[in-house]
Amino acid sequence: MELLFCVALVRMGTREAIRPLGVSTTVLPSPLAPYEAFLGVGMKRGAGHAVTFATADARRPFLTSNEQLWAAFEPELRRRLSDLDMPVTTARRVRAALLEGLPSGLVSMEAIGRKLAMGKRTLQRRVEAEGTSYQQILNETREALARHYLEKTTLPAAEIAFLLGFDEPNSFYRAFRSWTGTTPERVRQEGPA
């Protein structure tokens, strides 16, 4: 998801239909075709996450500053920078893996455990030792992302449901109501808390 965000940000900032030369990720999304259509290049599985641009594209300046866009992304960027100084717990590793796996629907404990190179029971034991559960981490991650999308973007709720790894919008609506006691539409109308 962050790889797509990087490409979209470069396109918005330069106002050019920039296509990366290559994109690699540790787990390929499924189905792959919509992602490759958006990127304009085939995705490859690799040891890490990377987007490669042509030198000329990488040197293109952003045409204008956009205070509204910066205001939307600055808090998250600052939070991520501060997170780099914090110790990495299993719960944090699970959240990071979920952020990558949610759009492709790879959110089972088994899938995340494989991504983190540990078995399901080991993963469960470690997060419980940290005072949480896998399901709680999954729900918190989905809720935080849902709120971000609803407050900072104009994405339709059906698209947000897809990005959060739900098979259908109704499942997203039910889950969102159970997390927040309200509806996605109400959160969008009320704006940031």
Side-chain angles (χ1 to χ4, degrees):
M1 186 166 74
E2 289 181 359
L3 298 173
L4 298 176
F5 170 76
C6 289
V7 173
L9 185 63
V10 167
R11 289 174 180 168
M12 285 188 316
T14 61
R15 294 202 176 103
E16 295 285 338
I18 292 176
R19 288 178 43 192
L21 296 176
V23 176
S24 66
T25 185
T26 56
V27 177
L28 292 173
S30 178
L32 189 57
Y35 293 88
E36 291 181 336
F38 173 79
L39 294 166
V41 66
M43 295 178 72
K44 297 193 181 342
R45 190 165 191 272
H49 307 289
V51 179
T52 306
F53 294 101
T55 303
D57 289 334
R59 289 186 176 153
R60 289 179 193 269
F62 273 33
L63 297 178
T64 180
S65 67
N66 184 328
E67 291 300 321
Q68 189 176 11
L69 187 61
W70 177 246
F73 293 111
E74 180 190 25
E76 180 65 12
L77 293 173
R78 289 196 185 280
R79 186 192 63 77
R80 287 183 184 206
L81 283 174
S82 71
D83 284 352
L84 294 176
D85 295 333
M86 300 177 91
V88 179
T89 63
T90 301
R92 284 182 168 286
R93 292 179 64 209
V94 168
R95 275 188 195 89
L98 284 170
L99 288 172
E100 292 175 15
L102 280 169
S104 62
L106 297 174
V107 296
S108 70
M109 193 181 305
E110 293 83 2
I112 297 300
R114 275 193 305 274
K115 189 173 188 77
L116 299 178
M118 65 179 80
K120 176 183 174 180
R121 290 186 181 178
T122 302
L123 174 61
Q124 187 172 4
R125 224 177 15 259
R126 288 187 182 175
V127 296
E128 286 175 358
E130 294 172 7
T132 188
S133 70
Y134 180 80
Q135 191 61 47
Q136 185 177 351
I137 296 168
L138 175 60
N139 290 345
E140 289 170 355
T141 304
R142 280 177 160 167
E143 180 185 352
L145 278 174
R147 285 186 178 278
H148 174 80
Y149 292 137
L150 291 166
E151 294 171 354
K152 306 285 187 191
T153 74
T154 58
L155 289 171
E159 256 183 80
I160 293 171
F162 169 74
L163 290 171
L164 296 178
F166 287 98
D167 292 330
E168 58 175 343
N170 287 340
S171 299
F172 166 59
Y173 282 99
R174 283 191 300 275
F176 191 84
R177 189 179 259 311
S178 74
W179 302 328
T180 65
T182 188
T183 65
E185 291 82 10
R186 170 97 19 109
V187 169
R188 177 159 276 160
Q189 290 168 355
E190 293 173 357

